[in-house]
Amino acid sequence: MTRIQPLQPTQADEKTQEMLDGVQRGLGMVPNMFKTLAHSSAALSGYLNFNQALGGALTPALREQIALTVAGNNGCDYCASAHTLLGSHAGIADAELTANLAGQSHDERTQAALSFARAIVQHQGRVADEEIDQVRAAGFADSEIVEIVSVVALNVFTNYFNLVAGTEIDFPVVETAPATAS
């Protein structure tokens, strides 16, 4: 159930309209999450800037895989749906995307990153030394570890935002867990 209605771009102030126009140009659509974030130009701008800044140490595919692991862990169907589609556009196979949602990968190095991401979420950032050692042993440099933490943080924000807002899914639906009767 939608609890915060999406703001239509024509209802937004000029600054917010410009940001939504940029999303439209980049994605070919303005997803409901962005329209709902548009109620606060500061929140929308913060998200867009943080997301754009995370293009350095990790590949786009790995960022999508981490996003799926975080969405699966947090039970965010909106983000699971969005990142499954984006992951497929990044060239990730369907079976791998499904595994990623459960924090699993068929690739050993990717598995190390997903296990670390999952540990960050499950332990609220209080990861053990062994978890840092494992991600390093898989070949991740400190710059990549910092970016994994950053991708997790950004996705925790979007998961929580969409769960609170009850954002209507406007992608092919992917469920993180079986629906329960209310």
Side-chain angles (χ1 to χ4, degrees):
M1 173 180 81
T2 303
R3 292 187 256 183
I4 301 175
Q5 295 297 321
L7 184 69
Q8 295 308 311
T10 56
Q11 299 170 306
D13 63 40
E14 187 176 331
K15 177 182 175 184
T16 303
Q17 281 181 2
E18 287 176 18
M19 288 185 279
L20 294 174
D21 288 345
V23 170
Q24 173 71 41
R25 284 189 302 276
L27 296 177
M29 66 179 280
V30 181
N32 285 332
M33 183 189 85
F34 295 95
K35 292 177 191 175
T36 307
L37 272 174
H39 284 284
S40 167
S41 64
L44 180 59
S45 177
Y47 169 78
L48 291 171
N49 288 325
F50 193 10
N51 188 52
Q52 184 177 7
L54 293 176
L58 303 178
T59 66
L62 185 55
R63 288 194 308 272
E64 295 303 332
Q65 292 172 292
I66 292 168
L68 280 167
T69 294
V70 174
N73 199 286
N74 286 327
C76 182
D77 293 350
Y78 188 93
C79 291
S81 301
H83 291 289
T84 296
L85 181 65
L86 293 170
S88 70
H89 291 333
I92 304 168
D94 290 345
E96 179 72 4
L97 293 168
T98 300
N100 299 161
L101 193 57
Q104 302 297 312
S105 176
H106 300 101
D107 176 77
E108 195 173 305
R109 186 168 192 271
T110 301
Q111 181 60 59
L114 300 185
S115 294
F116 184 61
R118 193 169 184 183
I120 294 166
V121 174
Q122 290 177 337
H123 304 298
Q124 299 172 328
R126 293 175 188 87
V127 297
D129 291 343
E130 294 80 24
E131 290 162 321
I132 297 269
D133 293 342
Q134 288 170 352
V135 77
R136 280 193 178 129
F140 287 93
D142 286 350
S143 60
E144 294 167 308
I145 293 169
V146 169
E147 197 159 315
I148 291 169
V149 174
S150 300
V151 170
V152 168
L154 181 63
N155 282 279
V156 166
F157 166 68
T158 60
N159 291 179
Y160 286 7
F161 176 77
N162 288 305
L163 290 168
V164 168
T167 309
E168 182 180 343
I169 300 171
D170 46 359
F171 298 97
V173 175
V174 174
E175 294 183 349
T176 57
T180 56
S182 304

